[in-house]
Amino acid sequence: LPQAYAELELTPAPGIEELVVAEGEFDGDFKTVQFANVHGTASGVLGAVQVRPFVRAITANGDNVTTYGQVWTV
């Protein structure tokens, strides 16, 4: 099974960090992408951390669509 690991260094201020976990080209009328059993932790943080998963598809001519999942509070 494919696995990945990533670590982000966050600054001591509010903000948004984006982490790309997969990229690829696709063509045709229909494509399915699925992520399952994704886990995350936040350490050395004062207060809650919110994670909002999303998928963005961008076509060759620049058209794009983004869909967001439920916000996770860590």
Side-chain angles (χ1 to χ4, degrees):
L1 297 174
Q3 295 183 4
Y5 171 82
E7 188 172 316
L8 291 176
E9 180 83 25
L10 301 176
T11 61
I16 297 174
E17 292 290 332
E18 188 172 301
L19 173 64
V20 177
V21 295
E23 288 185 316
E25 294 187 14
F26 62 92
D27 57 7
D29 295 333
F30 185 78
K31 190 71 169 185
T32 299
V33 178
Q34 180 178 355
F35 293 95
N37 299 319
V38 176
H39 302 274
T41 61
S43 60
V45 177
L46 296 175
V49 172
Q50 291 185 326
V51 177
R52 174 174 271 175
F54 68 93
V55 173
R56 180 179 299 135
I58 304 172
T59 65
N61 65 359
D63 295 332
N64 69 76
V65 62
T66 304
T67 182
Y68 294 91
Q70 291 183 328
V71 174
W72 306 333
T73 300
V74 180

